[in-house]
Amino acid sequence: MVFTPEDRLGKQCLLLPLLLLAAWKVGSGQLHYSVPEEAKHGTFVGRIAQDLGLELAELVPRLFRMASKDREDLLEVNLQNGILFVNSRIDREELCGRSAECSIHLEVIVDRPLQVFHVDVEVKDINDNPPVFPATQKNLFIAESRPLDSRFPLEGASDADIGENALLTYRLSPNEYFFLDVPTSNQQVKPLGLVLRKLLDREETPELHLLLTATDGGKPELTGTVQLLIMVLDNNDNAPVFDRTLYTVKLPENVSIGTLVIHPNASDLDEGLNGDIIYSFSSDVSPDIKSKFHMDPLSGAITVIGHMDFEESRAHKIPVEAVDKGFPPLAGHCTVLVEVVDVNDNAPQLTLTSLSLPIPEDSQPGTVITLISVFDRDFGVNGQVTCSLTPHVPFKLVSTFKNYYSLVLDSALDRESVSAYELVVTARDAGSPSLWATASVSVEVADVNDNAPAFAQPEYTVFVKENNPPGCHIFTVSAGDADAQKNALVSYSLVELRVGEHALSSYVSVHAESGKVYVLQPLDHEELELLQFQVSARDAGVPPLGSNVTLQVFVLDENDNAPALLAPRVGGTGGAVRELVPRSVGAGHVVAKVRAVDADSGYNAWLSYELQPVAAGASIPFRVGLYTGEISTTRALDETDAPRHRLLVLVKDHGEPSLTATATVLVSLVESGQAPKASSRASLGIAGPETELVDVNVYLIIAICAVSSLLVLTLLLYTALRCSAPSSEGACSLIKPTLVCSSAVGSWSFSQQRRQRVCSGEGPPKTDLMAFSPSLPQGPSSTDNVSHK
């Protein structure tokens, strides 16, 4: 019914019956409507929104939409008034063929919350197809000797409609020789036929032209015609006769090519050529029969030559004739009815409609992800389908209607554990053997910012050589975030604090994206031995999450301070030490002691003393202690020794490169009686304070060795307990320090004791004793000045 404003009042009487046709089942969520085929565009079908209990105002906000596995453009919904109407031409025969039931199944989907409704629109048949004969003209060859009541089969007409519209009646144009034999309803398999009611006479009537008309039962009636040309032949007394007029055979649809269907048998009472029979299909047999079956012309055996499909045709009616070789030839007729038996040869078909992909990892159980529909072309139990899902996944299948399922979330998701699921939906029929089909569903889990950036270690130790260039890269911090995309985008920053009188940002900086840590100014081991601070890592999620890591930067000593000579204990001028030595002293007599200090630490502060050679060929009776700096005689002095000696003592540390200082000692040889006071003063300077200084140095060396050993043990334990941080790259290379003690043959000549500054974020500077390697091995380049752990 077309519903337009012009005829609204005139059609109100028809609206009530149409609404009564729209029945629905509220409990199952299914509606039933009906509409005639070939209805015009805009024809009213039903008030679908009202029948589903939906408000007109919520159709657009809730994304009202329809889906159909058939053509989706046949029906449409006006979102302004909620009316379901015909959108394009509906041809029932094209849509459902000759099926007794024909309907369009619609899925109506609305969101917020998600609801799925099922609507069936039955397509009513109208009489829009006339009866059609296989050909417009049928030629029949009938011998004039055929007896009365001889029957000649005809191929009836077919009508694409169903029911009353396809119920055909036949009439034959008036004539005196033939009448039409129409089978009753319970003899539908018996073909239509002409029956001879008056003997033929070829000489009188060689040809007959008749018109056969077929009329259907529709309103209005439609007709189809075929011209019958009957050619009268001279007599051949007996026509071939089949032992049965109807042969019934059942074949499975998967029968193999070459299978024998049946062997119909005909006999002819004549002799000779008049009794020789040729078998064939009737001339008006359909091309489909010819493509599936073959009949041997001599034996009459019918074999399969094509594919049989129960879903295409459940039965094949084959008209067969046997023609003798007489003149004129006579023919006998029968019908072979081949019933096709269904086998389970069609796997189920799955159709997926995704709704909520990707799915956020914080989605609640019960969230609908995908709609699934299944269909099996087979019949009976072969077409009964059940669905199953990949086991051990946080999803499940929920049946919403026959052959319709929803894939829903069954338990909580965690993208960091599993970021995507490859699900397999299996549809299996109940046939024997069972057939199945699978469909893959890729469910991607969308990230939610539920993980803070995490460092591999809570604390890192970095060793940096002093006097580093400004802007030197000393370390790279790296935090991993288990989230994805912007939730895993990490930026770095310093946790600001005060280092003495200065801000931390005046010493170091961190690159926000790469995490590289830079030293902004040269560091001085003598002023700052430890700089401890924190770096913060924060992601870009909403809300952002973050964490901190502690960096301990130890400033390693470099040999940047040369040895410094102490003021002479014995009188002298110009920085030279003057000593008076009696000629009577023996070998090993201590003449003087050179004293020096080094502001560095470790090996860089470990001093050794050498006596510079004098002029070539000259020898002097003095030597200097390698580590003590004591100048002593190598032998007893005699009269041949020069009265004055100028000794140059080279003081050298053990750094790389080594730094030096030179001390000058002027030694004058005097007679024993001339320098008692000097000798006494020298003796006092050696036997008292000098011996005491040596003892103090020995104790200091022992203490430094003990502290260094404890530090080595501590570093080894620290390394074993913590994973080594990745090597940083940059302008400053990395080294590992080697901690050693002095040897038994010597020691540091002087150990500077001072208050070291240790700066961290936990409190004010503190006093600590740091023992570093006296000798740093050569790194990859000459600029190596950083090491970390």
Side-chain angles (χ1 to χ4, degrees), residues 462-464 523-532 552-557 601 754-759 766-772:
V462 182
F463 295 92
V464 183
L523 300 177
D524 190 350
H525 171 79
E526 287 72 37
E527 293 183 1
L528 182 67
E529 292 187 359
L530 173 63
L531 179 63
Q532 180 172 303
Q552 290 185 336
V553 179
F554 287 92
V555 183
L556 301 181
D557 183 51
S601 302
R754 62 185 182 276
R755 183 180 182 85
Q756 303 289 350
R757 294 178 59 202
V758 180
C759 298
K766 56 186 178 181
T767 302
D768 202 353
L769 176 60
M770 306 300 297
F772 292 97

Side-chain angles (χ1 to χ4, degrees), residues 14 175 184 202 233 270 284 327 356 371 411 426 471 521 531 571-572 586-587 630 733 780-781:
L14 298 179
N175 69 95
T184 60
R202 180 182 178 278
L233 306 175
D270 295 324
D284 53 4
F327 186 81
S356 305
L371 298 179
S411 59
T426 302
Q521 59 177 296
L531 179 63
E630 294 179 344
S733 304
S781 65

Side-chain angles (χ1 to χ4, degrees), residues 31-44:
L31 295 178
H32 291 278
Y33 297 108
S34 64
V35 64
E37 66 172 331
E38 306 294 343
K40 294 182 180 181
H41 174 78
T43 298
F44 175 90

Side-chain angles (χ1 to χ4, degrees), residues 498-518:
R498 302 292 297 179
V499 180
E501 299 179 354
H502 304 283
L504 175 64
S505 56
S506 65
Y507 286 92
V508 293
S509 68
V510 60
H511 193 275
E513 296 179 0
S514 66
K516 291 184 176 181
V517 180
Y518 298 93

